[in-house]
Amino acid sequence: MNSPFPSIDLIIHNARIFDTREGFIQPTALATGFGRIMALGSDQEILSLQTASSQIINAGGKLLLPAFTDSHTHYWKYVQRQMEVNLESCHSLQETLSQIRKKVQESPAGSWITGGGWDYNRWPAGEFPHRVQLDDISTRHFIALDSRDWHTCWVNTPVLKRVGIALDKPYPGAKQLALHPVTREFTGLLEEQVRLAVFDLLPKWDYARLQSSYPEILKQFYRCGITAVHSVETPDEFRISQEARNQNQLGMRIFWYFPYQLLDQAKELAIGQGVGDDFLRIFGVKMFVDGAFGSQSAELLEKYDQLEHAGTEVMTESELREAVAAAVTSRLSC
């Protein structure tokens, strides 16, 4: 007998199925096709729908849940990080420097060493890193490494020079970490808005550069039960998503938010809220008014312990009002 659903590509049976609205439900099997659940029912009912190309999975009485959505990611930055220097597992400054040195030794002079994930809070001494430590590894490479919270970028002297930062020039934003409290020299730690100047210098990524490694990285999300993310990134990463989607290789539902600093770029691309499809859709704008606790740049009412500052104001109240109005006008928020 021909199946009433000839497009069934997957059947899962013998499962305890949980619905987020109704709790555990009576059906023990489901069938999918075209990326959708096509039918629910008993094992016998759903198995009768199989076709020659259907994949059949016996759940063995285990729990079957809807997939998760991660509501705060920088999706393609994470994918890139798996191909860069990943310092998230380092528990000391020496271990961190060892990982960086290994990558430098593998890379030709003049190239960029990027990545990050360092977290001084996990290091026994609890002290911030310094550009001199990177200079000791190499001044023939451009080294730029983000902190775990993405609010601070640790760079060596060649990057400082490329950015154009010098003591005799105006420095935008706060200098809590940028200047050493004793020597008053630049530490190589660039906070908040200033770190964005480094991003503008980095070699651009495209999907072709990520394509060979992407399937294995995507499986990391699947193993955690994640099939959708909310991501805040730039038009460059949005184009990567489009390239992957056009090749039917995206494999993840992405709800996209633009950083408010890039509203003008969004306008030029005529991008508005709701643009896209079930797998890639513009959802809004991200803006924040201060820093983060990990980098000790979150703005407080009192100074941080053992520090002479109380954080960083990223946006004034008037700037916030203007940014919200611009986002609404651009149809990127409501």
Side-chain angles (χ1 to χ4, degrees):
M1 183 176 69
N2 292 330
S3 169
F5 300 104
S7 58
I8 295 298
D9 53 26
L10 172 67
I11 289 176
I12 302 176
H13 66 101
N14 190 17
R16 295 172 59 237
I17 302 177
F18 183 85
D19 182 274
T20 54
R21 291 169 296 184
E22 301 181 20
F24 286 100
I25 57 178
Q26 186 174 0
T28 56
L30 60 78
T32 70
F34 298 113
R36 304 270 185 182
I37 295 176
M38 305 291 285
L40 285 165
S42 67
D43 289 358
Q44 184 178 0
E45 290 170 330
I46 300 303
L47 286 170
S48 69
L49 303 178
Q50 67 179 289
T51 67
S53 59
S54 298
Q55 180 185 3
I56 310 297
I57 296 177
N58 185 335
K62 294 178 181 176
L63 179 63
L64 181 61
L65 292 168
F68 299 120
T69 298
D70 190 322
S71 61
H72 186 156
T73 71
H74 307 284
Y75 183 69
W76 289 108
K77 289 297 184 186
Y78 175 84
V79 173
Q80 294 166 21
R81 178 62 52 80
Q82 310 315 302
M83 301 172 65
E84 298 177 309
V85 179
N86 192 336
L87 306 172
E88 293 178 0
S89 62
C90 295
H91 288 81
S92 69
L93 175 60
Q94 291 308 311
E95 185 181 357
T96 301
L97 294 173
S98 177
Q99 287 287 90
I100 299 167
R101 184 175 288 106
K102 180 180 178 182
K103 185 66 174 180
V104 166
Q105 292 171 348
E106 298 170 349
S107 306
S111 62
W112 281 84
I113 307 299
T114 58
W118 58 270
D119 184 356
Y120 84 99
N121 295 292
R122 304 180 70 183
W123 302 344
E127 61 182 281
F128 282 102
H130 196 283
R131 63 181 168 83
V132 171
Q133 295 149 346
L134 298 181
D135 290 348
D136 287 343
I137 294 175
S138 177
T139 55
R140 299 189 303 128
H141 296 75
F142 298 99
I143 307 177
L145 304 164
D146 280 305
S147 60
R148 188 182 181 95
D149 61 17
W150 302 86
H151 283 254
T152 304
C153 190
W154 175 25
V155 305
N156 64 351
T157 299
V159 174
L160 277 183
K161 292 179 179 178
R162 285 286 295 272
V163 174
I165 290 177
L167 290 172
D168 59 349
K169 294 181 179 179
Y171 183 88
K175 299 182 182 179
Q176 284 95 328
L177 301 180
L179 293 179
H180 193 279
V182 177
T183 66
R184 305 309 292 170
E185 294 180 343
F186 279 110
T187 61
L189 296 176
L190 304 180
E191 308 156 274
E192 304 303 336
Q193 306 102 310
V194 184
R195 85 192 195 289
L196 298 178
V198 179
F199 293 169
D200 293 338
L201 298 173
L202 299 181
K204 299 298 182 185
W205 290 81
D206 56 25
Y207 185 58
R209 188 176 170 192
L210 298 167
Q211 193 168 17
S212 61
S213 300
Y214 181 54
E216 284 302 314
I217 297 171
L218 186 61
K219 289 178 183 178
Q220 295 179 22
F221 289 87
Y222 290 168
R223 282 193 287 267
C224 294
I226 298 171
T227 62
V229 296
H230 291 242
S231 187
V232 182
E233 294 183 279
T234 74
D236 292 331
E237 284 80 32
F238 187 73
R239 280 187 282 269
I240 292 175
S241 294
Q242 289 178 310
E243 292 170 14
R245 180 72 177 119
N246 290 340
Q247 298 183 44
N248 200 30
Q249 296 175 357
L250 184 56
M252 182 71 60
R253 299 185 192 275
I254 300 181
F255 303 98
W256 203 271
Y257 296 80
F258 277 96
Y260 78 93
Q261 300 98 325
L262 304 178
L263 281 177
D264 288 342
Q265 293 186 38
K267 291 177 186 176
E268 292 174 6
L269 294 171
I271 292 174
Q273 188 182 42
V275 170
D277 58 24
D278 287 346
F279 272 83
L280 179 61
R281 184 175 295 273
I282 304 296
F283 243 61
V285 174
K286 178 182 179 180
M287 52 188 74
F288 46 88
V289 298
D290 65 342
F293 283 117
S295 291
Q296 296 190 346
S297 57
E299 193 171 26
L300 306 180
L301 296 175
E302 299 179 6
K303 293 180 180 179
Y304 285 89
D305 288 345
Q306 301 178 2
L307 295 175
E308 291 302 313
H309 70 86
T312 302
E313 181 184 70
V314 175
M315 297 179 74
T316 64
E317 183 177 349
S318 60
E319 288 171 338
L320 177 62
R321 291 180 181 277
E322 290 176 8
V324 170
V328 172
T329 302
S330 303
R331 297 182 298 109
L332 282 163
S333 187
C334 57

